[in-house]
Amino acid sequence: LAKTTQPISMDSYEGQEVNITCSHNNIATNDYITWYQQFPSQGPRFIIQGYKTKVTNEVASLFIPADRKSSTLSLPRVSLSDTAVYYCLVALDNYGQNFVFGPGTRLSVLP
Amino acid sequence: NAGVTQTPKFQVLKTGQSMTLQCAQDMNHEYMSWYRQDPGMGLRLIHYSVGAGITDQGEVPNGYNVSRSTTEDFPLRLLSAAPSQTSVYFCASSYALAGGPQYFGPGTRLTVL
């Protein structure tokens, strides 16, 4: 069953690029990799999703190597408001319906 | 669109009481799910549904029931509340039946005394 491993915490300074890597060694062939952001007392918010290679949107980039056993979320030029917990998510099953969140990565952006 | 809405925002129960947490979405999403999040932890999937009349268990289903009679609503029932069910509960929905982005509600903070 696919599960994820991420660093528990990271610190960065405003204006820097932050890369958070997630390992998912047993990802299913047809599964997507999805990243979420969560602020205290709020529900997770979808950031980006990808299947392979690179995906970019207005807030982040997602890099997925060919073997798909890991993925890296890249946040360009972080600000204080990016301080949050970041989760990568894959499915437990082969249908992409049953999920488990890991503990996530707590990112602290310092001035 | 209101997105995913949850009621109530806060609830205090006594051990043994039952209650229903409400979840509704107005995006015509087929996939809906319930998670619980304990302090300092990630979210754990309780139950999910891929359409009206179809539900399945997630990682931590014991003590909870769900049903899906309409596309819009996915209530979560606590049968006999226990202190171990003290948590924040999030409902989510997705337009994709397999692996699509999930959109989360604001959560219900439940305390069981």
Side-chain angles (χ1 to χ4, degrees):
Chain A
L1 297 178
K3 290 205 171 181
T4 62
T5 304
Q6 303 173 231
I8 294 299
S9 64
M10 296 180 69
D11 291 337
S12 181
Y13 290 96
E14 278 192 294
Q16 289 187 330
E17 179 185 72
V18 170
N19 296 309
I20 306 174
T21 296
C22 177
S23 296
H24 28 78
N25 290 323
N26 297 320
I27 188 170
T29 302
N30 57 351
D31 198 16
Y32 284 81
I33 299 142
T34 312
W35 284 80
Y36 294 86
Q37 175 192 56
Q38 188 179 30
F39 298 112
S41 301
Q42 294 186 21
R45 183 176 74 99
F46 169 76
I47 302 174
I48 197 167
Q49 182 180 65
Y51 181 78
K52 60 181 178 180
T53 64
K54 177 183 175 181
V55 179
T56 298
N57 62 21
E58 63 276 9
V59 298
S61 294
L62 180 59
F63 299 92
I64 305 169
D67 65 7
R68 300 193 344 110
K69 292 183 183 299
S70 66
S71 58
T72 299
L73 174 72
S74 181
L75 304 172
R77 299 179 298 281
V78 294
S79 64
L80 296 177
S81 63
D82 292 316
T83 294
V85 179
Y86 292 83
Y87 298 96
C88 88
L89 185 67
V90 297
L92 281 179
D93 61 1
N94 291 323
Y95 303 102
Q97 298 168 350
N98 193 342
F99 300 95
V100 64
F101 280 80
T105 298
R106 186 173 300 275
L107 173 65
S108 297
V109 180
L110 308 172
Chain B
N1 287 351
V4 179
T5 58
Q6 293 183 237
T7 56
K9 285 186 169 50
F10 301 94
Q11 183 70 48
V12 179
L13 292 178
K14 294 182 180 178
T15 296
Q17 287 184 317
S18 62
M19 80 158 295
T20 299
L21 307 185
Q22 301 292 343
C23 174
Q25 51 90 11
D26 61 357
M27 299 174 282
N28 203 33
H29 287 173
E30 291 293 337
Y31 182 91
M32 295 186 74
S33 55
W34 275 102
Y35 293 86
R36 61 176 287 175
Q37 185 173 34
D38 299 330
M41 306 289 288
L43 288 82
R44 291 186 291 171
L45 183 63
I46 305 171
H47 285 285
Y48 63 95
S49 168
V50 297
I54 307 170
T55 64
D56 207 343
Q57 298 180 349
E59 182 184 3
V60 288
N62 292 341
Y64 307 95
N65 270 1
V66 292
S67 60
R68 183 99 178 267
S69 56
T70 67
T71 300
E72 295 77 20
D73 300 298
F74 191 41
L76 177 72
R77 281 182 289 278
L78 279 70
L79 308 173
S80 177
S84 60
Q85 293 179 304
T86 293
S87 190
V88 180
Y89 291 84
F90 291 102
C91 178
S93 73
S94 176
Y95 55 79
L97 288 179
Q102 296 185 61
Y103 297 91
F104 285 79
T108 294
R109 186 174 297 273
L110 175 68
T111 301
V112 182
L113 303 175

